Amino acid sequence: MPTYIVLLGPPGAGKGTQAKILSTELGIPQVSTGDLFRAMKTQDTPFARKVQEIMASGALVPDDVTIQMVKERLHQIDCDGGAILDGFPRTTAQAEALGKMLAEEFNSSIAVVPLLTLDENDVVRRISGRRQCPECKTIYNVDPSDTEATCPKDGEKLELREDDKPGVVQQRYSVYLENTAPLVDYYRNKGLLAEFDAKQTVEKVTGDLLSAIRSRIAAG
Ligand code: AMP
């Protein structure tokens, strides 16, 4: 039986960081719609350009293309054991489509929906110091005024994501509140939600997540 985990939480709560660790610990891939859309940067098609434009503004890519992209990704062989969904679903329509897709095409359902909680001030503070290594994709938190920070693993200069720039962050947070926050109650009502305080250390959050996930899996 494949295991599907949906990570919920505002931008900057650590979903990507935790998804990578959980992926290693649980042996199932991280499926990040943000990463999949960012990977389209190298494609020179009108659609790929439109996606980059939408992302740079902090808005959401339309549901139909997002759902189709996730469906294709989940059908790939490395997702046979399930997936850790990071950044999807982000709207009620996506959540409904995911439930239907898992039931009809994978004869499965979501095991647990961990919610990483973080308030708006911390979202803005964290994202303004968030940098990514363009080579190994590791995410770091640096002093926001440090524009010269490099990756300790491969020496590459760390980059600020286009949509992590001031202004876009506020927009992304409003989009989260309006479109994605309703999913908290949606999954709570289904008995799938488990909450974690994202202000704790990465290690503490990982430990709590792993024990909650393992006990849900064991309970079937
Ligand atoms: P993320 O890396 O998850 O913060 O996503 C970066 C951007 O990709 C978002 O601000 C959206 O523009 C787009 N995106 C990622 N996931 C979704 C989704 N599930 N639905 C619509 N747009 C998305």
Side-chain angles (χ1 to χ4, degrees):
M1 179 80 169
T3 303
Y4 297 98
I5 295 162
V6 167
L7 287 183
L8 268 190
K15 298 187 299 296
T17 300
Q18 293 296 339
K20 282 187 184 60
I21 305 172
L22 294 178
S23 168
T24 308
E25 293 287 333
L26 302 170
I28 50 177
Q30 168 194 17
V31 171
S32 157
T33 40
D35 285 351
L36 292 170
F37 286 135
R38 271 185 290 280
M40 292 170 88
K41 225 179 187 163
T42 52
Q43 298 171 13
D44 191 23
T45 63
F47 175 67
R49 281 196 293 275
K50 181 79 198 156
V51 166
Q52 300 311 313
E53 209 178 283
I54 293 172
M55 289 175 79
S57 75
L60 293 181
V61 177
D63 283 335
D64 53 351
V65 290
T66 306
I67 291 164
Q68 185 58 30
M69 181 178 74
V70 170
K71 187 180 282 196
E72 285 170 18
R73 180 69 189 89
L74 293 182
H75 274 291
Q76 287 172 358
I77 197 144
D78 63 317
C79 292
D80 274 1
I84 296 158
L85 290 157
D86 157 19
F88 180 91
R90 254 180 161 93
T91 63
T92 306
Q94 291 179 13
E96 304 249 303
L98 175 65
K100 193 164 175 283
M101 182 195 313
L102 294 182
E104 292 177 359
E105 297 182 35
F106 299 90
N107 193 24
S108 190
S109 59
I110 297 166
V112 58
V113 179
L115 167 69
L116 304 181
T117 59
L118 196 66
D119 67 32
E120 183 172 3
N121 287 341
D122 288 310
V123 166
V124 174
R125 192 179 49 76
R126 273 207 193 176
I127 291 192
S128 59
R130 178 159 74 176
R131 300 287 183 279
Q132 189 170 32
C133 172
E135 189 59 35
C136 67
K137 309 289 178 207
T138 304
I139 294 162
Y140 297 95
N141 276 293
V142 304
D143 176 344
S145 62
D146 182 358
T147 53
E148 297 302 319
T150 54
C151 177
K153 293 187 202 163
D154 42 35
E156 291 286 327
K157 189 165 174 230
L158 300 181
E159 293 177 348
L160 177 68
R161 259 168 53 175
E162 200 59 36
D163 59 347
D164 279 351
K165 293 189 173 153
V168 184
V169 174
Q170 308 282 355
Q171 172 61 12
R172 287 168 64 209
Y173 190 70
S174 322
V175 167
Y176 171 78
L177 285 185
E178 189 179 329
N179 297 280
T180 312
L183 296 185
V184 172
D185 278 340
Y186 178 89
Y187 284 122
R188 185 181 284 124
N189 291 339
K190 290 184 185 289
L192 290 171
L193 201 78
E195 293 190 47
F196 302 86
D197 177 2
K199 281 192 81 171
Q200 303 175 105
T201 62
V202 170
E203 294 74 19
K204 172 84 171 93
V205 175
T206 303
D208 291 352
L209 279 168
L210 279 172
S211 47
I213 292 168
R214 287 187 172 130
S215 62
R216 290 281 177 130
I217 294 173

